[in-house]
Amino acid sequence: MNKNIKHIAFLIVGLIILNIANQSIYKRFDVTEDQRYTLSETTKAIINNVNSNLFITVYLEGDFPSEFKRLQVETRQFIEELASENSLIKINFENPDDQREALIKRGMMPSQLTVEEDDKLSEAIIFPWAEIFYGKKTTVVSLLPNAIMASQEAQLAKAIENLEYSFSNAINLVTQNKEKKIGIITGNGELEDIYQYSFLSEVAKKYRLAKFTLDSVATNPQQTLQDLSGLDLAIIAKPTEQFSENEKFVLDQFITNGGKTLWMIDNVQADQDSLFNGAKMLAYPRNLNLTDLFFSYGIRINTTLIKDLYAAKIPLATGESGNQTQFQNLDWYYHPLVGGNPNHPITKNISPVRLQFANQIDTLTNNIKKTPLLVSSVLTQKVGTPTFIELQSIADEVVENDYKSGNQLFALLLEGNFNSAYKNRIKPFETALYKENAIDNKMVVIADGDVGKNQILKGQPFDLARDKWTNEQFGNKDFLLNTVDYLLDDTGLMKLRNKSLTIKILDKQKAFKERTYWQFLNVILPLILLFGFGIVFNYLRKKKYSK
């Protein structure tokens, strides 16, 4: 009796100890092959900055295609991993059906999916969005990439790959206290504000924007340089007027003092609006006086235009029907549709980018790392300038032998130690901020000034990601936003965009062909085995107890 009491007492004490240990010790194990649920050090650092309740609402609840339930499950598992790292992160899944209009007003546009079930196609609407609330700040997270994919399965795989970056980026946005400062350079005929609105309005959600004119260089260059050096990034969008030596020196010293730069440069005067107005225009080299500056960084922007057989379309009048003019969207080879580098976080998984009358970049050998970002197809032709360009040339028959110039480089990331273009040269003016070189700096150069130029519709700026006439979608906005994020990223956050996972997708055709086999294996065979086990068990039981 005493022994039994002792055993029961030990058992109770043991259970109490196990229960205490279970409450105080918590450990999750990631046994996946690609460690998809293991948070990166960057993500851990970001969510450790959360010091008050952060609410994540995911609108992936309700009735939607079964294959996208995979996205729901993966999203839930990932944000549960975030919550396990920081208990202040609260999770909620909501059905969007009864709040669709409110979600659309907050910028969460629905996605239309084609669903195949029992050899029948149907359409389904889902809201692949999450919303994050932190104090008085809020932001939204897109759970589906905008990139053009071969199939919905591929789109789903990319969405799952992008979960960590999407959520980490959004949480970093609402938790950071100090906003980085970006200067939009003016004074040399750059793009007007209305033509940069689509791009810059998105940038302004994350960073502090301010216009910065170089006009003051003429009267007080030292003060201008000092003011410019207080910025983290300078955006130079399609300058059309020549830079003076003083202005170049200010930009050069901004770079050597650690400032990041995004250049969108047209080295040829050619504009689509001018062509539409006159059906013919003269394209000629534009002298911006920047050649020696870029040469010191190891690049040269040429004054040739590139025609590419893989191109965007433009609308042209092709006839009349009654009193109505008939328009047709035709390929315009002066507007290359270029792919991004799939191995770099700036351009991974983005849609093709539309360029307009783009120039080609040559690279020179030096100690700066150069990473191609935007590259043409192999079916290109170089067009020297000056030259006349006519709209009617769009009807000319394509001779493929004329398009053998190969891949052309349009956008380039430069990283490393930048030497001043004025090293071992007479300085335009003296300044105490002068440095001969920058340590570990970076810049992006795009040989097209219109890459960030949005169209105007009824006096209002149109979305940069879409053409107002052809309704084609492009990756221009995503490319530029990723570029800004990469240039200003000092946490390694953008590297999460390169995360690759092995997502096993169901082969629907194979599953349909082999469905009888799998139905038998999963439904009939277990019943046969169970029935056989029952017979054998009953036989052995009778044999044992009949003796």
Side-chain angles (χ1 to χ4, degrees), residues 32-44:
T32 57
E33 182 181 355
D34 47 24
Q35 297 290 289
R36 72 181 60 182
Y37 304 117
T38 299
L39 300 179
S40 67
E41 294 303 318
T42 297
T43 298
K44 289 180 180 180

Side-chain angles (χ1 to χ4, degrees), residues 60 76 192 215 279 440 454 459 539:
L60 280 178
R76 185 186 297 275
E192 297 177 27
D215 289 343
D440 195 24
N454 56 252
Y539 169 77

Side-chain angles (χ1 to χ4, degrees), residues 245 264 338 362:
E245 287 300 318
M264 292 175 265
V338 299
D362 284 339

